[in-house]
């Protein structure tokens, strides 16, 4: 079976991991960086992803997308309150948010797919094989629409998503495997944009989730925003500047706020420095840990309610817990650790890198699915109750929250009017009584044979699969015939749209490839020019004038090609330059060899001593 | 959702609903897997949850044994282990897992287990009580009055704190009441199990069976009523 990788598709950073010799490993890039910033930038040369895209946050804020996970499976209305914080432009089409980048619009799954493709490329380069199958993690408290959007992203990226698993449970797999953890544990996962709490029982290789709760709109981003708001306010007071009019500076503020927050996890005091627009000089401010904590106290306290609810749903009190585990970059904050420790009365674990542990767990789950690991099994739950709309706009629950998945419920439908040929069904998710207070998932129309009222009997099965995603099927009890259903998601892409995006993705892939090849060629050209420059300094006196002028001409040609748009021309000119420097390289090699033989340093030889 | 069997035959004697392997057509001797081709077999939808988990139809169940059995069957059925198998096997794995999960969830909780058993033995029971049990009538009426007074009282007023104290003591009384009902239920569970273990088919045994079922039904619905009032109270006074 082809290799399956585990992917943590995070709000701020994403990672890919795989299992080798019974141990999960995160895949680094050439510079040994394990995290790919979840940032996508539209440049004049096409779309770029990750670290290079991060540079565009301040340079090109309106065309650089970050924190796209916040928009997965959401409508514009859902995020109305925070639109002002994002410099890029959002619209909506068919209940799905669209992000405007230049002339085109992209759905959040398409943007996420670009990040996934980057991870896929990274894994392929590292493992030297084609990667087509993956396990992707999502916050445990993600609803059906958000899970489906993540699965769509995988498909658009050309990945067969074998399983969607919950981030805190993935983390528990890594801890269970690597730290041999057992007993009842709580996983507190505060990421870039989401918060989850899961209570699990680990026993003989079974990881049984007892309850989960969370907030899909609470994370490190919100902490940064508190600090950034303070900076913006002070800049307005001290310099009479409204930074909101300068998207590039707003991004700089956000990034400086994040850096200050991170530094304050280790230090008690730090200085934030920002260059101001309109030649207003600089803003510089000391921020103490105490100040940070009073700014973010309320946010940290917001995580405690879900923790109590989860414990209650699990039928436990904090004294029943054997271990508490911290996951997510934001749990590095001392304030968070203090609160967790106070609530659960236990010092929390953080032996495994909180940024990497989810990806590691995803790799373990991938190995379980691939048949490599056979002694571990994850039994997860559905975070939200599933139901249908009944008379009086009331939700009738079919599958309660915290039910182990896969879970199914059957419901019998009939007609109220003679000859009625359809029954409309509205599927909901949530804990509230009224339809309007819950999340609408989908609607469909059940086809019914025209018969006297009450005679038709259609049995509808609602099945939540191991991904936490709903599947609906219907069967006519009288005839036994099954019925295919056209379920229309309330906040998701239709199947046709996903198909179209997969097609487009291949087209973009060609553009992306071109953009990447160009960037790579330019980088290498830069490197070869610098190396030649250096060689000339060392050995220009060792070769003839003819060689030198040929080298100079070739260098100019590479320089010219580098500012062009064609990677092939750059490569061709680089090859010419290599030919031109052939003799020089030989001479230098000889000289350095001789130097080595005479036990002298090359610098001594070439500096004319 | 499932068919109600009114038979009192022990679950071990119940014939399995299928008799032939869906795959190799041989007669299936194994419980969950065909003995000949080792393919997973669908757990029949007609099977009750007790049979599904291999337990007799009793109200006292060893939690540890139940959990062990649940884990064992989860390892047998979970879709994670069918990723490389045929579509048919994947469908069976999904269906069996979903059935197993609901069975475990139901039997794990003593109250849900009893409600489910009543359902099996005497038909649908989940009658929802709208009026208080007779012996609690006065008390509940008074409580409703206090509750509406409390909701009308101004924030942080003296009346509010007096009423809160009163409600808190009401809550303690009702919680005590709920515990008593649960103790009574526990006794009924033991009576039921003892009667089943004797396995007599006399008229006297039948009368006894009906009496226990009737009392259980009453107690269960009273308990649910009180429990709902208590959680209402808890969410009002916090």
């Amino acid at each position: 079976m082809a290799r399956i990788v585990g992917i943590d598709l995070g709000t701020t950073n994403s990672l890919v991991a795989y299992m080798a010799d019974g141990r999960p490993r995160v895949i680094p890039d050439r510079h040994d960086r394990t995290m790919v910033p979840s940032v996508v930038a539209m440049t004049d040369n096409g779309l770029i992803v990750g670290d290079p895209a991060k540079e565009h946050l301040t340079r090109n804020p309106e065309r650089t997308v970050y924190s796209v996970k916040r928009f997965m499976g959401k409508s514009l209305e859902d995020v109305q309150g925070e639109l002002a914080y994002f410099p890029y432009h959002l619209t909506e089409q068919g209940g799905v948010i669209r992000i405007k980048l230049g002339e085109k619009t992209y759905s959040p799954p398409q943007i996420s797919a670009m990040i996934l493709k980057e991870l896929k490329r990274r894994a392929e380069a590292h493992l030297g094989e084609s990667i087509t199958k993956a396990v992707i993690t999502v916050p445990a408290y993600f609803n059906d629409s958000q899970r489906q959007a993540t699965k769509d992203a995988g498909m658009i990226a050309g990945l067969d998503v074998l399983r969607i698993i919950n981030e805190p449970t993935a983390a528990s797999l890594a801890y269970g495997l690597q730290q041999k953890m057992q007993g009842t544990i709580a996983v507190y996962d505060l990421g870039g944009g989401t918060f989850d709490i899961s209570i699990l029982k680990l026993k003989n290789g079974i990881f049984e989730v007892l309850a989960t709760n969370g907030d899909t709109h609470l994370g490190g981003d919100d902490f940064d925003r508190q600090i950034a708001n303070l900076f913006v306010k002070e800049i307005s007071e001290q310099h009479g500047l409204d930074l909101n009019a300068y998207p590039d500076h707003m991004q700089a503020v956000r990034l400086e706020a994040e850096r200050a927050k991170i530094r304050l996890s280790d230090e008690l005091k730090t200085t934030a420095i920002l260059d101001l627009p309109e030649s207003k000089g600089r803003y510089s401010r000391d921020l103490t840990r105490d100040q940070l904590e009073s700014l973010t106290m309320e946010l940290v306290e917001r995580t405690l309610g879900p923790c109590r609810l989860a414990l209650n749903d699990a039928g436990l009190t904090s004294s029943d817990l054997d271990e508490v585990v911290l996951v997510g970059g934001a749990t590095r904050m001392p304030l968070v650790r203090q609160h967790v420790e106070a609530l659960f009365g236990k010092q929390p674990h953080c032996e495994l890198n909180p940024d990497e542990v989810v990806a590691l767990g995803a790799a373990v789950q991938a190995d379980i699915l691939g048949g490599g690991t056979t002694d571990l099994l994850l039994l997860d739950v559905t975070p939200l109750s599933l139901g249908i709309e009944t008379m009086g706009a009331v939700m009738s629950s079919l599958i309660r929250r915290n039910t182990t998945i896969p879970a199914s419920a059957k419901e019998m439908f009939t007609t109220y009017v003679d000859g009625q040929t359809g029954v409309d069904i509205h599927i909901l998710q949530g804990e509230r009584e009224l339809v309007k207070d819950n999340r609408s998932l989908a609607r469909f129309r059940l086809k019914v044979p025209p018969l006297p009222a009450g005679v038709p009997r259609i049995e509808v099965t609602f099945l939540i699969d191991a991904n936490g995603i709903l599947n609906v099927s219907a069967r006519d009890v009288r005839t036994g015939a099954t019925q295919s259903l056209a379920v229309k998601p309330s906040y998701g892409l239709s199947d046709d749209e996903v198909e179209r995006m997969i097609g487009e993705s291949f087209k973009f892939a060609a553009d992306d490839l071109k953009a990447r090849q160009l960037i790579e060629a330019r980088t290498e050209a830069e490197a070869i020019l610098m190396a030649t420059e250096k060689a000339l300094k060392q050995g220009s006196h060792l070769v003839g004038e003819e060689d030198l002028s040929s080298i100079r001409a070739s260098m100019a040609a590479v320089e010219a090609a580098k500012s062009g748009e064609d990677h092939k021309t750059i490569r061709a000119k680089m090859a010419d330059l290599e030919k031109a420097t052939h003799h020089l390289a030989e001479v230098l090699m000889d000289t350095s060899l001789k130097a080595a033989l005479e036990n002298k340093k090359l610098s001594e030889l070439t500096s004319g001593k | 959702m499932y068919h109600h069997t009114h038979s009192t035959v022990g679950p071990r004697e119940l014939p399995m609903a299928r008799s032939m392997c869906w795959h190799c057509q041989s007669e299936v001797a194994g419980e969950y897997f065909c003995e000949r081709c080792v393919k997973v077999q669908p757990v029949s939808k007609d099977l009750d949850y007790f049979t599904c988990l291999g337990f007799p139809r009793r109200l006292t169940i060893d939690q540890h044994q139940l959990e062990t059995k649940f884990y064992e069957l989860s390892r047998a059925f979970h879709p994670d282990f069918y990723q490389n198998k045929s579509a048919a096997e994947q469908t069976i794995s999904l269906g069996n897992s979903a059935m197993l999960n609901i069975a475990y969830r139901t039997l794990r909780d003593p109250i849900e287990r009893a409600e489910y058993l009543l359902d099996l033995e005497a038909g649908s029971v989940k009658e929802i009580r709208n009026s208080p049990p007779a012996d609690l009538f006065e008390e509940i009426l008074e409580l409703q009055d206090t509750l509406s007074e409390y909701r009308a009282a101004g924030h942080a007023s003296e009346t509010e704190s007096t009423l809160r104290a009163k409600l808190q003591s009401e809550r303690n009384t009702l919680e005590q009441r709920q515990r008593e009902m649960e103790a009574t239920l526990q006794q009924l569970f033991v009576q039921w199990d003892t009667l089943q273990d004797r396995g007599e088919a006399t008229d006297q045994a039948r009368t006894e069976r009906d009496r226990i079922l009737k009392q259980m039904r009453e107690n269960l619905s009273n308990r649910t009523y009180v429990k709902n009032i208590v959680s209402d109270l808890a969410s009002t006074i916090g």
Side-chain angles (χ1 to χ4, degrees):
Chain A
M1 176 150 184
R3 191 194 294 276
I4 311 166
V5 293
I7 292 176
D8 172 6
L9 183 60
T11 307
T12 321
N13 293 298
S14 298
L15 302 92
V16 56
Y18 72 107
M19 192 88 147
D21 310 321
R23 216 169 64 88
R25 295 154 209 265
V26 175
I27 300 177
D29 67 359
R30 278 180 304 170
H31 310 288
D32 224 28
R33 291 179 296 206
T34 54
M35 296 197 281
V36 174
S38 302
V39 181
V40 174
M42 168 71 96
T43 70
D44 296 337
N45 298 310
L47 289 156
I48 55 171
V49 181
D51 279 304
K54 212 174 166 180
E55 289 165 20
H56 288 260
L57 281 171
T58 48
R59 215 191 296 163
N60 200 358
E62 288 169 19
R63 297 169 79 186
T64 308
V65 186
Y66 65 96
S67 293
V68 70
K69 193 173 175 179
R70 287 198 164 219
F71 304 124
M72 294 286 272
K74 298 267 174 147
S75 70
L76 205 52
E77 201 194 332
D78 296 327
V79 296
Q80 207 52 250
E82 57 180 333
L83 283 186
Y85 293 106
F86 292 93
Y88 46 91
H89 300 289
L90 301 178
T91 55
E92 187 187 282
Q93 193 190 317
V96 176
I97 287 178
R98 311 286 159 148
I99 297 154
K100 205 161 179 295
L101 291 179
E103 294 305 300
K104 294 191 91 126
T105 64
Y106 300 84
S107 64
Q110 282 174 295
I111 301 286
S112 298
M114 294 166 194
I115 301 164
L116 290 172
K117 272 197 265 182
E118 182 62 31
L119 295 167
K120 180 174 184 274
R121 265 199 295 273
R122 175 180 282 205
E124 286 172 342
H126 185 85
L127 299 167
E129 60 191 62
S130 155
I131 299 292
T132 55
K133 293 170 193 288
V135 168
I136 304 179
T137 64
V138 295
Y141 217 55
F142 252 22
N143 65 28
D144 183 88
S145 318
Q146 293 168 303
R147 284 165 198 271
Q148 190 59 58
T150 306
K151 215 176 163 192
D152 292 344
M155 284 171 72
I156 297 167
L159 287 169
D160 184 4
V161 183
L162 296 187
R163 180 62 49 82
I164 296 286
I165 71 164
N166 295 329
E167 286 155 11
T169 25
S172 79
L173 272 179
Y175 266 96
L177 184 72
Q178 299 208 280
Q179 307 281 315
K180 308 275 173 251
M181 207 173 260
Q182 290 267 354
T184 306
I185 71 165
V187 182
Y188 180 102
D189 179 358
L190 190 60
T194 58
F195 168 65
D196 281 326
I197 176 78
S198 288
I199 314 284
L200 296 99
K201 187 160 160 184
L202 274 56
K203 195 173 173 184
N204 304 329
I206 300 261
F207 292 63
E208 185 191 2
V209 180
L210 302 176
T212 195
N213 211 297
D215 186 333
T216 58
H217 249 65
L218 176 59
D221 277 6
D222 300 279
F223 290 68
D224 302 343
R225 201 174 282 167
Q226 289 296 107
I227 307 165
N229 285 347
L230 175 76
F231 292 171
V232 170
K233 189 171 140 261
E234 287 183 352
I235 288 168
S236 150
E237 284 163 5
Q238 293 165 15
H239 301 272
L241 261 178
D242 180 10
L243 280 197
N244 285 295
Y246 306 89
D248 47 343
H249 286 270
M250 284 300 282
Q251 283 303 302
V253 170
R254 190 178 68 84
L255 293 169
E256 183 64 6
E258 184 190 9
R259 283 190 293 263
K261 175 192 73 176
I262 291 170
R263 287 197 298 267
L264 286 175
S265 286
D266 296 316
E267 297 156 24
L268 290 172
K269 191 171 143 187
T270 189
T271 308
I273 298 167
L274 287 159
D275 286 321
L276 299 175
E278 311 293 342
S279 324
K280 293 272 189 172
R282 268 184 164 183
Y283 163 82
S284 158
R285 183 197 205 282
D286 284 346
L287 191 69
T288 65
R289 190 186 284 175
D290 284 347
Q291 288 169 327
L292 169 71
E293 296 187 344
S294 65
L295 281 173
T296 55
M297 182 68 80
E298 207 187 308
L299 292 170
V300 176
E301 282 172 352
R302 251 174 68 194
T303 65
L304 304 182
C307 292
R308 295 195 186 97
L309 287 172
L311 271 176
N312 193 45
D313 279 356
L316 300 173
T317 61
S318 49
S319 60
D320 296 319
L321 294 176
D322 296 306
E323 315 281 356
V324 178
V325 167
L326 294 178
V327 182
T331 61
R332 287 200 175 90
M333 287 176 69
L335 184 69
V336 172
R337 295 195 172 186
Q338 286 155 20
H339 273 75
V340 172
E341 194 170 337
L343 178 71
F344 295 113
K346 253 168 220 75
Q347 177 145 25
H349 286 268
C350 45
E351 289 89 347
L352 300 181
N353 181 339
D355 290 320
E356 296 181 357
V357 62
V358 168
L360 294 175
V364 177
Q365 178 65 33
D367 200 49
I368 295 173
L369 296 179
T373 301
T374 52
D375 53 341
L376 303 184
L377 174 62
L378 191 60
L379 299 173
D380 218 319
V381 300
T382 181
L384 298 156
S385 299
L386 182 102
I388 49 172
E389 176 168 353
T390 55
M391 294 279 270
V394 169
M395 167 166 153
S396 152
S397 231
L398 295 174
I399 298 173
R400 279 176 293 166
R401 70 165 184 276
N402 293 324
T403 298
T404 308
I405 50 174
S408 72
K410 289 186 170 62
E411 192 75 8
M412 200 69 80
F413 291 92
T414 186
T415 51
Y416 294 100
V417 184
D418 289 346
Q420 186 180 337
T421 55
V423 177
D424 291 314
I425 296 174
H426 185 194
I427 312 172
L428 304 154
Q429 210 169 21
E431 310 310 320
R432 305 282 296 277
E433 199 164 324
L434 296 180
V435 168
K436 68 176 173 59
D437 297 322
N438 291 303
R439 186 74 178 166
S440 169
L441 287 191
R443 291 169 192 273
F444 66 92
R445 174 157 253 246
L446 208 55
K447 284 185 258 68
V448 180
L451 289 166
V455 173
R457 279 159 59 83
I458 312 286
E459 183 188 68
V460 178
T461 304
F462 300 86
L463 178 104
I464 300 179
D465 64 17
N467 302 307
I469 293 178
L470 175 69
N471 301 264
V472 188
S473 59
R475 192 176 65 96
D476 188 328
V477 178
R478 289 171 51 261
T479 64
T482 53
Q483 185 177 127
S484 67
L485 299 171
V487 178
K488 192 193 167 303
S490 306
Y491 300 98
L493 300 169
S494 65
D495 290 350
D496 291 347
E497 223 177 341
V498 174
E499 281 300 319
R500 184 172 57 72
M501 287 173 179
I502 294 171
E504 278 177 13
S505 156
F506 284 111
K507 192 161 68 66
F508 291 144
D511 295 344
D512 290 354
L513 184 67
K514 247 172 94 187
R516 201 171 73 254
Q517 283 170 333
L518 181 63
I519 289 167
E520 279 172 8
R522 280 176 177 164
T523 317
E524 282 171 43
E526 188 63 38
I528 199 176
L529 284 173
M530 274 169 66
T532 312
E533 209 54 81
K534 200 173 151 211
L536 281 177
K537 260 188 209 146
Q538 290 174 340
S540 58
H541 61 287
L542 300 172
V543 293
E545 196 54 46
E546 204 176 310
D547 268 342
L548 282 181
S549 67
S550 147
I551 291 173
R552 296 257 177 241
S554 299
M555 283 174 79
V558 172
E559 195 70 60
K562 196 163 76 80
S563 45
E565 299 291 319
D566 185 12
H567 70 96
K568 283 185 195 143
T569 315
I570 302 176
R571 296 273 178 204
K573 297 296 170 199
M574 279 163 66
D576 290 348
L577 178 58
E578 255 172 273
K579 260 182 237 152
T581 54
H582 189 73
H583 184 223
L584 174 63
E586 264 183 3
V587 175
L588 276 174
M589 185 77 79
D590 284 352
T591 323
S592 74
L593 266 177
K594 241 181 266 167
L597 287 173
E598 290 165 18
N599 211 2
K600 276 187 187 170
K601 281 192 191 136
L602 183 62
S603 57
E604 287 172 32
L605 271 178
T606 50
S607 61
K609 276 183 192 165
Chain B
M1 254 171 101
Y2 33 77
H3 296 269
H4 305 300
T5 26
H6 294 272
S7 111
T8 47
V9 183
R12 283 285 171 205
E13 288 83 19
L14 268 181
M16 300 297 264
R18 61 191 146 72
S19 56
M20 209 179 259
C21 170
W22 61 272
H23 184 251
C24 72
Q25 263 85 51
S26 84
E27 286 203 11
V28 185
E31 220 175 338
Y32 306 109
F33 296 89
C34 170
E35 295 228 318
R36 206 175 94 193
C37 70
V38 214
K39 295 279 186 221
V40 65
Q41 300 297 314
V43 170
S44 164
K45 291 184 182 71
D46 299 337
L47 228 53
D48 71 79
Y49 298 162
F50 290 94
T51 316
C52 172
L53 277 154
F55 280 79
R57 217 178 267 190
R58 301 289 186 273
L59 287 169
T60 311
I61 288 185
D62 182 306
Q63 290 288 348
H64 182 72
Q65 273 180 24
L66 185 69
E67 184 190 84
T68 306
K69 187 72 185 176
F70 170 62
Y71 286 170
E72 180 195 317
L73 290 180
S74 291
R75 283 191 186 278
F77 294 148
H78 198 278
D80 277 10
F81 303 129
Y82 289 82
Q83 204 67 48
N84 306 326
K85 302 277 171 69
S86 69
E89 284 165 280
Q90 287 185 9
T91 308
I92 294 170
S93 137
L94 199 57
N96 284 8
S97 288
M99 168 91 170
L100 174 67
N101 288 336
I102 181 81
Y104 179 60
R105 192 190 170 100
T106 309
L107 297 196
R108 183 174 59 177
D109 179 70
I111 299 293
E112 281 192 46
R113 187 194 307 150
E115 280 171 349
Y116 177 69
L117 181 117
L118 261 176
D119 198 356
L120 286 178
E121 295 287 341
S124 186
V125 276
K126 273 221 166 171
E127 60 180 60
I128 295 163
R129 190 174 256 291
N130 292 317
S131 59
D135 56 336
L136 279 176
F137 201 80
E138 295 289 323
E139 230 173 310
I140 301 281
L141 278 192
E142 202 190 314
L143 175 67
Q144 303 290 18
D145 285 345
T146 321
L147 263 175
S148 44
E149 266 181 73
Y150 175 79
R151 288 197 184 104
H155 246 324
S157 66
E158 208 171 307
T159 341
E160 196 204 21
S161 62
T162 326
L163 289 172
R164 176 191 285 272
K166 199 171 164 195
L167 287 173
Q168 187 56 49
S169 109
E170 255 325 304
R171 178 181 168 184
N172 294 342
T173 315
L174 285 172
E175 278 174 344
Q176 175 59 27
R177 195 53 212 264
Q178 189 186 327
R179 279 192 293 274
E180 284 164 21
M181 288 171 164
E182 282 163 9
T184 312
L185 275 170
Q186 193 54 49
Q187 286 168 11
L188 287 166
F189 295 169
V190 173
Q191 288 175 24
W192 170 265
D193 290 355
T194 317
L195 183 73
Q196 295 301 303
D197 288 344
R198 285 211 304 270
E200 291 163 13
T202 59
D203 277 351
Q204 199 194 347
R206 266 189 290 277
T207 316
E208 176 71 351
R209 171 183 178 275
D210 293 345
R211 178 194 65 84
I212 298 171
L213 288 176
K214 185 162 172 281
Q215 283 193 11
M216 252 188 327
R217 180 186 304 238
E218 259 176 41
N219 260 279
L220 282 169
S221 79
N222 287 352
R223 179 203 166 268
T224 307
Y225 186 86
V226 171
K227 185 173 171 268
N228 289 343
I229 300 254
V230 169
S231 58
D232 262 8
L233 248 177
S235 62
T236 310
I237 58 176

